[in-house]
């Protein structure tokens, strides 16, 4: 084993006093997507920000930038903000840890590097060949940060709550890669996993809010992002997960603070995009091409990109309230009432669901001076001629942006607020097929976030489900699609039980294996509605997994 690690280390910069492996951006990739992570979110370079590999090898951009906003009011009635648009150099946010020069970086590592690191430790209980990306990881107590990054990581709050997550092998709260510890993509109380590629970046609100030109919401923040390679399971392969965390470090409360995500979708040609949402039911906002059949850059059947929210900032009682406003923003000059925000009042108004001219978002057309006040824009299916969508309204074409805002919360000194979401692309042909797939993807992602226990059995989720008789050590669903019944079979450990859910996450039933057929369960589906269903299984050895079965007629 030592010889293998030594050969691998030829291609790595190892040892102490190495140059920091962090950079001002990092590309997170799968076989299907590439996402350019910057210290405050996503910012495109000349190639794009969220790239999707289309059939035939054509790569297209679907998003130019995504950044967080915070707005609020202090006890004296002063408006405060910390926001960013497309230019990270003209922003209320600054990259890095406050007061630590040269920390405005993005740290990235891969699951392969973690595997090599663990193999090195397992060899003799010592890391013989330090991997810079692992030893530079800015986690609490990392004694190697000064050597690999050129600075010591903060130890006490506020830095403590925003440092990079890691697997704490000895539960002492201190990151020591020499002891076999390693980075993870984590969200407290829900899951912990290594991730195939992970990026971490700290940032903070500038003392001078140069974009909003007002008082700043004094905040330390961090972004953690991850992609997962999963054998062409597109709900993961087409997705980047992003987790923002904000530590409010001022000494006075901020009332009615609103957190938002400002997103500039660009589906190929950015000047003819439309927006839509599935709010308030599944917390998703999406962008599609106004010509659903062809785009001058993407070609035939332009893809869709969806922003899916899982967790939002909690109130003082620890309750998630979810998305409460979805505002379209028109950066062009055609619609003066909805122009790109330029003043503090614009940022406050848009976050609260009001246009620049002071009128609220309303139902119909572009959402201005319509029939009734609404919180969510374009909630109808684009193919519904009687509903409200950009397609049915035949809205003017221009470069759209979206503002997704969350319920107002009170910010108290020392509090941490979080936003967990994903960006997922669909390559299906046609708007209806894309929305159906996005609904399926969101349901699978919800199940993973809220119910699935990530551990060493995570790879079982990523094993492809065969449609023929099983061979080898794997889980198999057959026949798939199913009309009257399907079998789920384990070629390894016996099955303990399975649960069946529809794509809205509603429980259908639980099923146990019989004593004489402990490796196979038969499920009757003759009376079930056609569609896609989730199959969750548990094995006798403690492993678990998740798959899909299509019920047809």
């Amino acid at each position: 084993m030592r010889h293998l690690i030594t050969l691998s280390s030829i291609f790595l910069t190892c040892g102490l006093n190495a140059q920091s492996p962090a950079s001002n951006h990092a590309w997170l990739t799968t076989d299907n997507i590439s996402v350019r992570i910057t210290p405050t979110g996503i910012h495109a370079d000349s190639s794009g920000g969220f790239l999707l590999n289309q059939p035939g090898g054509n790569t297209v951009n679907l998003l130019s930038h995504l950044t967080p906003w915070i707005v609020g009011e202090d006890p004296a009635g002063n408006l405060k903000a910390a926001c960013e648009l497309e230019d990270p150099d003209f922003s209320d946010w600054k990259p890095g840890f406050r007061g630590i020069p040269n920390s405005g970086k993005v740290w990235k590592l891969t699951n392969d590097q973690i595997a090599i690191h663990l193999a090195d430790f397992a060899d003799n209980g010592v890391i013989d060949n330090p991997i810079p990306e692992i030893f530079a990881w800015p986690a609490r107590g990392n004694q190697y940060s000064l050597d690999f990054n050129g600075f010591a990581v903060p130890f006490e709050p506020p830095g403590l709550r925003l440092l990079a997550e890691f697997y704490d092998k000895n539960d002492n709260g201190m990151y020591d890669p020499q002891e076999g510890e390693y980075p993870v993509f984590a969200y407290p109380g829900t899951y912990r996993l290594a991730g195939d590629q992970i990026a971490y970046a700290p940032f903070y609100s500038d003392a001078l809010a140069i974009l909003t030109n007002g008082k700043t919401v004094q905040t330390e923040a961090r972004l953690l992002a991850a992609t997962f390679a999963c054998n062409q399971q597109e709900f993961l392969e087409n997705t980047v997960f992003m987790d923002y965390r904000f530590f409010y470090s001022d000494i006075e409360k901020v009332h009615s603070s609103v957190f938002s995500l400002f997103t500039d979708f660009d589906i190929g040609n950015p000047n003819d995009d439309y927006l839509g949402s599935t709010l308030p039911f599944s917390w998703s906002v999406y962008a599609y091409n106004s010509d659903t059949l062809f785009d001058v850059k993407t070609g035939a059947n332009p893809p869709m990109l969806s922003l899916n929210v899982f967790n939002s900032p909690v109130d003082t009682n620890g309750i998630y309230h979810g998305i409460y406003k979805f505002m379209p923003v028109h950066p062009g000059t055609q619609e003066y009432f909805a122009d790109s925000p330029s003043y503090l009042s614009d940022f406050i108004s848009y976050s609260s669901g009001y246009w620049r001219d002071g009128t609220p978002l309303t139902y119909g057309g572009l959402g201005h001076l319509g029939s009734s006040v609404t919180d969510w824009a374009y909630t109808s299916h684009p193919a519904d001629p009687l509903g409200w969508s950009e397609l049915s309204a035949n809205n003017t074409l221009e470069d759209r942006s979206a503002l997704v805002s969350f319920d107002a919360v009170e910010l108290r000194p020392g509090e941490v607020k979080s936003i967990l979401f994903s960006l997922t692309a669909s390559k299906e042909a046609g708007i209806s097929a894309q929305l159906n797939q996005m609904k399926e993807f969101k349901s699978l992602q919800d199940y993973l976030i809220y119910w699935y226990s990530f551990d060493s059995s995570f790879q079982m989720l990523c094993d492809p489900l065969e449609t023929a008789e099983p061979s080898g050590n794997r889980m198999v669903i057959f026949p798939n699609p199913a009309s009257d019944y399907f079998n789920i079979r384990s070629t390894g450990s016996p099955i303990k039980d399975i649960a069946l859910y529809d794509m809205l996450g509603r429980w259908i039933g639980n099923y146990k294996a019989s004593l004489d057929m402990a490796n196979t369960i038969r499920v009757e589906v003759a009376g079930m509605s056609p569609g896609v269903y989730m199959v969750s299984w548990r094995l006798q050895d403690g492993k678990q997994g998740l798959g899909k079965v299509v019920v047809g007629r």
Side-chain angles (χ1 to χ4, degrees):
M1 177 61 70
R2 177 131 357 138
H3 294 297
L4 173 62
I5 302 303
T6 302
L7 288 173
S8 299
S9 67
I10 294 175
F11 302 98
L12 298 171
T13 305
C14 294
L16 300 182
N17 300 311
Q19 183 178 3
S20 172
S23 180
N24 63 358
H25 73 277
W27 284 96
L28 297 185
T29 63
T30 69
D31 288 340
N32 294 349
I33 65 169
S34 298
V35 184
R36 189 174 186 268
I37 302 297
T38 59
T40 54
I42 297 175
H43 290 87
D45 63 5
S46 58
S47 61
F50 185 111
L51 301 176
L52 176 67
N53 298 327
Q54 287 275 80
N58 182 27
T59 299
V60 298
N61 182 53
L62 305 184
L63 182 143
S64 287
H65 58 267
L66 181 149
T67 57
W69 289 10
I70 308 176
V71 301
E73 181 179 337
D74 67 17
N78 299 306
L79 298 178
K80 292 187 171 185
C83 303
E84 184 172 303
L85 296 174
E86 70 278 0
D87 184 359
D89 294 325
F90 188 67
S91 168
D92 297 342
W93 299 112
K94 292 294 182 184
F97 296 108
R98 190 186 301 273
I100 299 182
N102 302 316
S103 62
K105 304 291 185 181
V106 180
W107 283 259
K108 174 192 171 181
L109 78 158
T110 68
N111 199 43
D112 289 341
Q113 291 170 323
I114 294 174
I116 294 173
H117 173 75
L118 294 179
D120 189 356
F121 183 77
D123 184 30
N124 57 3
V126 175
I127 301 298
D128 301 300
N129 296 280
I131 296 175
E133 286 79 2
I134 290 178
F135 275 72
W137 195 245
R140 186 191 185 206
N142 183 0
Q143 60 184 306
Y144 307 102
S145 178
L146 185 61
D147 294 294
F148 281 88
N149 293 318
F151 62 86
V153 294
F155 186 78
E156 296 300 332
L160 170 62
R161 301 192 183 192
L162 300 172
L163 293 177
E165 282 80 356
F166 64 97
Y167 170 60
D168 192 1
K169 184 178 180 180
N170 52 20
D171 293 321
N172 68 351
M174 307 290 281
Y175 178 57
D176 189 352
Q178 275 289 1
E179 294 296 321
E181 296 180 339
Y182 57 90
V184 295
F185 178 76
Y187 194 82
T190 51
Y191 61 89
R192 183 184 70 203
L193 62 159
D196 292 282
Q197 296 185 4
I198 316 172
Y200 165 86
F203 60 102
Y204 60 93
S205 59
D206 194 3
L208 298 175
I210 62 174
L211 174 65
T212 55
N213 196 28
K215 290 192 172 185
T216 188
V217 180
Q218 186 171 307
T219 307
E220 328 299 317
R222 72 101 169 99
L223 169 63
L224 196 64
T227 54
F228 300 92
C230 199
N231 293 336
Q232 296 304 308
Q233 295 275 7
E234 289 186 316
F235 79 100
L236 289 176
E237 289 271 4
N238 292 11
T239 298
V240 60
F241 290 89
M242 302 179 69
D243 177 20
Y244 280 115
R245 194 168 300 170
F246 305 90
F247 177 88
Y248 180 57
S249 55
D250 211 341
I251 60 174
E252 59 182 4
K253 297 179 182 179
V254 176
H255 301 297
S256 302
S257 59
V258 176
F259 290 75
S260 305
L261 298 173
F262 181 77
T263 307
D264 183 12
F265 295 102
D266 286 339
I267 310 298
N269 175 22
N271 296 316
D272 60 356
D273 293 343
Y274 277 164
L275 300 175
S277 67
T278 58
L279 299 169
F281 307 107
S282 64
W283 293 12
S284 294
V285 170
Y286 59 89
Y288 60 102
N289 194 266
S290 59
D291 184 341
T292 60
L293 301 179
F294 184 82
D295 177 75
V296 294
K297 288 190 176 182
T298 66
N301 301 315
M304 173 185 288
L305 185 64
S306 176
L307 189 158
N308 310 306
V309 175
F310 304 107
N311 282 337
S312 62
V314 299
D315 64 17
T316 54
N317 297 314
I319 298 175
Y320 297 105
H321 292 279
I323 297 173
Y324 91 113
K325 300 286 183 183
F326 161 45
M327 287 283 289
V329 180
H330 312 282
T333 58
Q334 297 183 41
E335 313 300 337
Y336 71 92
F337 63 87
D339 203 358
S340 185
S342 301
Y343 307 98
L344 176 58
S345 58
D346 293 341
F347 292 92
I348 300 293
S349 294
Y350 289 3
S351 298
S352 304
Y354 286 83
W355 298 114
R356 169 179 280 181
D357 63 2
T359 60
L361 176 69
T362 53
Y363 186 94
L366 287 169
H368 185 241
L369 301 180
S371 59
S372 59
V373 176
T374 183
D375 290 332
W376 305 291
Y378 314 130
T379 54
S380 300
H381 193 293
D384 180 3
L386 300 180
W388 181 35
S389 72
E390 294 223 67
L391 194 63
S392 63
N394 194 27
N395 283 345
T396 54
L397 301 181
E398 55 188 349
D399 186 5
R400 297 283 199 274
S401 296
L403 186 66
V404 175
S405 299
F406 303 92
D407 262 330
V409 294
E410 183 179 68
L411 269 183
R412 298 179 179 180
E415 284 189 330
V416 174
K417 305 295 185 184
S418 301
I419 304 172
L420 175 65
F421 62 99
S422 69
L423 291 166
T424 300
S426 172
K427 296 188 280 188
E428 290 292 293
I431 193 75
S432 292
Q434 289 171 344
L435 285 176
N436 287 338
Q437 186 176 62
M438 287 300 194
K439 181 179 178 180
E440 174 190 335
F441 286 174
K442 179 61 162 57
S443 295
L444 288 168
Q445 292 171 10
D446 279 341
Y447 182 85
L448 293 177
I449 295 298
Y450 297 122
W451 302 109
Y452 194 76
S453 175
F454 284 102
D455 54 18
S456 59
S457 69
F458 175 73
Q459 188 58 40
M460 292 186 65
L461 168 70
C462 296
D463 284 341
L465 294 175
E466 306 292 343
T467 58
E469 290 294 326
S471 62
N473 185 18
R474 58 187 337 65
M475 297 295 296
V476 188
I477 293 178
F478 65 98
N480 191 6
S483 55
D484 297 318
Y485 70 93
F486 70 84
N487 295 303
I488 178 167
R489 180 176 298 177
S490 167
T491 60
S493 174
I495 301 174
K496 183 177 182 180
D497 56 31
I498 70 168
L500 193 64
Y501 302 86
D502 67 14
M503 294 313 296
L504 294 177
R506 295 176 296 199
W507 175 77
I508 303 298
N510 279 40
Y511 309 86
K512 292 183 178 294
S514 61
L515 293 178
D516 59 338
M517 290 288 288
N519 285 70
T520 302
I521 294 179
R522 175 179 170 125
V523 179
E524 302 291 337
V525 296
M528 292 169 53
S529 300
V532 180
Y533 293 81
M534 293 185 291
V535 184
S536 172
W537 66 78
R538 294 190 299 172
L539 304 183
Q540 295 288 356
D541 63 5
K543 292 182 179 179
Q544 59 182 327
L546 178 69
K548 293 181 292 183
V549 61
V550 178
V551 175
R553 292 290 178 264

